[in-house]
Amino acid sequence: SLGDATAQLVGENASDLAGWDVSSAGDVNGDGHGDILVSAPAHTEVVGYDEAGATYLVFGPVEGTVELSDANARLVGDELLEWSGMSTTGAGDQDGDGLDDVVVGSIYRSPGETYIAGAATLFTGISEGTLFLQDATRTYAGALEYDVAGWDVDSGVDLDGDGFSDLLVGASGADRDDDADVGSVHLFYGPLVSP
C-alpha cells in the first residue's frame, strides 16, 4: 500500500492538488542523485493569482515525510488560473552545462494576446529558490486561442541520435481547418538551447 512508501511528499495547502503530475527531473544539481518534480496546478503562490500553479523540485535522495513547502526549488505560474504544472518532465541537459533541465506545461497560460493558448516552459540552470514562468529560459507557446499547449509534455528520448533529449508538447485543443479540438503534438529536437 501507499503507507509502505519510502517517502511521502505532502502539498502545502488545501485544494492545491499536489501530485497531479510527477516525474523524474534527472540530476538538476549535479550531486549524482536523481531529483523529483511534483506539480500542484491549483496552488496559489501570490495573492490575486489564484490557481496559477506550482511545480516543486526536490533534490534526491528522498526519505520520510517531505513538506513541499520545504522543496529545494519551486517553479511558479504568474497568471490567474494558469494551472502551471498540469504536466512536467525532466528534459536532460539542454544547454551543455552538465546539469539536467526541466519543462513545465501550463495549459491556461495566455502568451502575448493569445488567450489560453497554453505553453511549455523550459528551465535550465535551476538553483534553489522560487522562479516564475516569466523567468524561464525558453517558452513554447500555443499558436492559437484554446490550443491548451502543455496539456502533456515529455522528454528524455533522443529521436535523432545527436546526444540530446528531444521534447514533445501536446496541444489537445488545437484545431485543424474547420475541425475543432483535433489536437496536435509538437516535436522539438534538442538541444533546445545552444550549448
Side-chain angles (χ1 to χ4, degrees):
S1 73
L2 292 181
D4 298 324
T6 303
Q8 181 181 28
L9 295 85
V10 182
E12 289 192 72
N13 306 305
S15 302
D16 271 5
L17 303 181
W20 183 278
D21 194 43
V22 294
S23 63
S24 168
D27 184 3
V28 174
N29 62 343
D31 66 353
H33 297 284
D35 306 317
I36 299 171
L37 293 168
V38 179
S39 78
H43 175 75
T44 298
E45 180 77 11
V46 179
V47 174
Y49 292 91
D50 295 350
E51 297 184 19
T55 298
Y56 300 89
L57 173 63
V58 179
F59 295 154
V62 179
E63 292 185 6
T65 299
V66 176
E67 300 290 339
L68 290 178
S69 57
D70 296 326
N72 299 95
R74 65 178 73 204
L75 311 174
V76 180
D78 45 25
E79 293 182 7
L80 177 67
L81 302 174
E82 184 172 7
W83 269 52
S84 171
M86 177 70 179
S87 57
T88 64
T89 187
D93 179 10
Q94 293 293 333
D95 57 357
D97 66 354
L99 303 175
D100 287 332
D101 307 312
V102 303
V103 173
V104 175
S106 305
I107 58 172
Y108 297 137
R109 190 166 181 80
S110 298
E113 300 298 323
T114 311
Y115 184 64
I116 306 184
T121 50
L122 168 70
F123 288 88
T124 63
I126 298 173
S127 58
E128 298 189 38
T130 299
L131 293 171
F132 291 90
L133 293 192
Q134 63 187 2
D135 302 320
T137 304
R138 180 156 293 170
T139 298
Y140 300 86
L144 301 172
E145 290 187 351
Y146 302 105
D147 272 1
V148 292
W151 189 277
D152 195 19
V153 293
D154 196 18
S155 187
V157 176
D158 180 9
L159 295 172
D160 57 351
D162 65 353
F164 290 92
S165 296
D166 305 315
L167 174 65
L168 294 167
V169 178
S172 59
D175 301 336
R176 182 179 61 191
D177 300 326
D178 294 327
D179 296 323
D181 298 335
V182 170
S184 59
V185 178
H186 304 265
L187 168 65
F188 300 90
Y189 283 139
L192 303 176
V193 179
S194 298

